[in-house]
Amino acid sequence: MREVAVELPNAYSFPMSSPLGAARRIVVKVGSALLVDRESGRINRGWLETLVADLLLLRARGQQVILVSSGAIALGRRELKLATGALRLEESQAAAAVGQIRLAHAYKEILEDQGVTVAQVLLTLEDSERRRRYLNARATLEALLALGALPVINENDTVATAEIRYGDNDRLAARVAQMTGADCLVLLSDVEGLFTADPHGDPGAQFIETVRELTPQIEAMAGSSRSETGSGGMATKILAAKIAMAAGCHLCIAAGQPQHPVRRIEEGARCTWFVPSSTPAAARKQWIAGTLKPAGAIVIDAGALKALQEGKSLLPAGVVATRGRFDRGDTVSIVGPDGYEFARGICAYSDGDAARILGRRSSEIERLLGFRGRDEMIHRDDLAIVRAPGAAMAETSAAAQAIP
Ligand code: GLU
């Protein structure tokens, strides 16, 4: 990772004990209500600078950071002098087109002042729901992080129509966390966290600091509260928590209005933590292993089997044959020389392309396919072993099956 020049405040360092301190990759989401001043309709620049300073501190101690930022519609509607109240779909799309430029410009100015390259990534629902596009979006984000850039993500509101849009950045941020295997997601908004009841209406409402399981009771507590400027409320935050927890990612709901909102969380400010029961890597492998019906199969040789047992990726060189039809991004069975399913994984190639490069060296892929694909047929992060090789079928997982 590129070194980041950042001035650490005197004798200040984050305590490392919170999930935020322990995380390798952190997604931070900021809501429109924080970013855009309600009176002037402009970006809260002074506040934003303190948020950016926090993010740079995280990076300076070796953590990777992705920012999901709302605010495009709120900024654009002001510029276009659209009336207050609900906007028609095409009006919010127009507002997003105008506002997103301003938003990106503000991030560029603030971050580049600090020597950090900012990257704008606009996603649609389909980018996270369709396997093929999901893989592309994930690879792009990985590349940006590896190159030291700070990705700033928003929904591509200008092209997303009602049926195919998230509409709220809480869930978008959770999908980004899931897609990138982040271990911590921070939702900064105008609420402090989760209460047992609406704290404005019920003086007996109690604050909840930690949630380990999303029970129907917890979901009921979210109600349908909405913030005034953004689209999310507690309900979308709970949906985000569901996605994050299933992906092994910690999620924190915290008040974002004060300056240095991320630093405050580590300093012990009140917030609600949702704690998952597994890690992102384990959750991903579980999900791959649990695929009900793999699209096809890849048969491997003994050398590849040994490599996979040692935790390595599957290279085209170790593949002997493909079975069935599958697309890039589909989950396939990996069948050992004994003819039984040994592992499952997300394949980086379609069955046709896989057949053309099997048995070949990765350096030959470009010549054989006419494009530079991934070196690995199935990357080790995308692979889950479902059976010990040579294990009797009776002892194998129910998922294991003989492939003729
Ligand atoms: N994508 C919307 C925007 O930039 C915000 C969605 C939300 O409020 O969560 O204005």
Side-chain angles (χ1 to χ4, degrees):
M1 215 172 91
R2 205 168 82 182
E3 279 295 303
V4 180
V6 61
E7 270 181 46
L8 294 173
N10 274 347
Y12 179 77
S13 72
F14 279 127
M16 299 290 281
S17 55
S18 85
L20 201 50
R24 190 183 56 92
R25 186 171 284 176
I26 301 162
V27 178
V28 176
K29 179 253 167 177
V30 270
S32 308
L34 302 173
L35 260 166
V36 184
D37 181 65
R38 262 183 72 191
E39 297 301 315
S40 69
R42 292 187 201 291
I43 292 181
N44 282 323
R45 182 106 185 190
W47 170 86
L48 186 55
E49 283 171 5
T50 72
L51 168 69
V52 166
D54 289 0
L55 303 185
L56 297 191
L57 272 170
L58 299 176
R59 283 170 51 111
R61 68 183 192 197
Q63 296 173 291
Q64 292 182 325
V65 178
I66 297 173
L67 185 63
V68 174
S69 177
S70 307
I73 296 174
L75 286 171
R77 69 181 296 159
R78 169 85 182 194
E79 188 74 24
L80 292 171
K81 301 188 177 54
L82 290 164
T84 49
L87 295 178
R88 293 202 311 272
L89 178 64
E90 62 275 20
E91 286 175 330
S92 44
Q93 292 184 310
V98 170
Q100 186 61 36
I101 293 187
R102 279 154 184 78
L103 199 57
H105 189 73
Y107 282 115
K108 179 179 178 290
E109 276 188 356
I110 297 176
L111 279 155
E112 290 195 351
D113 257 6
Q114 305 287 330
V116 176
T117 305
V118 57
Q120 171 180 269
V121 181
L122 299 179
L123 296 176
T124 60
L125 184 66
E126 289 198 316
D127 292 319
S128 71
E129 305 294 318
R130 294 238 169 134
R131 285 177 300 246
R132 213 187 149 107
R133 292 178 54 168
Y134 173 103
L135 279 189
N136 287 341
R138 187 162 66 112
T140 306
L141 289 169
E142 286 290 346
L144 285 169
L145 290 171
L147 293 166
L150 198 153
V152 176
I153 301 179
N154 196 358
E155 181 162 15
N156 195 349
D157 292 307
T158 304
V159 296
T161 52
E163 322 76 65
I164 55 147
R165 74 197 288 257
Y166 285 102
D168 70 88
N169 278 4
D170 294 325
R171 277 181 311 148
L172 172 66
R175 287 286 182 212
V176 167
Q178 176 196 42
M179 193 189 295
T180 56
D183 15 40
C184 187
L185 166 59
V186 178
L187 300 180
L188 294 174
S189 75
D190 49 2
V191 292
E192 248 187 320
L194 187 62
F195 288 85
T196 52
D198 181 358
H200 300 297
D202 184 345
Q206 298 202 345
F207 191 77
I208 301 176
E209 286 186 356
T210 311
V211 177
R212 289 180 194 277
E213 198 189 344
L214 279 178
T215 59
Q217 209 185 357
I218 296 278
E219 291 188 42
M221 284 172 199
S224 56
S225 62
R226 299 186 82 81
S227 90
E228 278 182 43
T229 321
S231 332
M234 195 47 83
T236 61
K237 292 183 177 45
I238 297 293
L239 284 174
K242 237 184 201 169
I243 298 169
M245 286 171 86
C249 176
H250 282 77
L251 178 137
C252 171
I253 301 176
Q257 302 94 330
Q259 300 210 326
H260 294 288
V262 178
R263 195 171 93 183
R264 283 182 76 251
I265 298 171
E266 287 208 334
E267 286 172 343
R270 189 157 88 153
C271 61
T272 302
W273 276 106
F274 292 79
V275 181
S277 56
S278 82
T279 63
R284 187 166 169 75
K285 287 191 185 258
Q286 221 169 18
W287 175 73
I288 293 169
T291 307
L292 283 183
K293 205 172 168 299
I298 285 180
V299 187
I300 61 172
D301 65 18
L305 181 80
K306 187 159 173 286
L308 261 48
Q309 283 174 292
E310 287 166 1
K312 297 192 179 135
S313 297
L314 177 64
L315 300 178
V319 176
V320 181
T322 68
R323 303 249 193 275
R325 304 301 305 268
F326 51 88
D327 215 336
R328 185 173 126 66
D330 278 340
T331 300
V332 296
S333 286
I334 301 172
V335 176
D338 62 359
Y340 286 104
E341 182 184 50
F342 160 70
R344 287 178 179 199
I346 301 175
C347 192
Y349 292 94
S350 65
D351 61 292
D353 287 345
R356 266 185 275 169
I357 58 173
L358 62 82
R360 305 299 195 108
R361 283 197 306 274
S362 300
S363 56
E364 296 177 278
I365 294 176
E366 189 167 3
R367 186 175 56 76
L368 291 165
L369 298 183
F371 63 89
R372 188 168 163 204
R374 309 266 148 82
D375 284 355
E376 306 86 10
M377 181 95 69
I378 299 181
H379 192 275
R380 62 196 169 100
D381 292 347
D382 293 333
L383 198 146
I385 296 194
V386 295
R387 181 180 70 99
M393 280 305 285
E395 291 168 24
T396 62
S397 84
Q401 51 189 286
I403 311 269

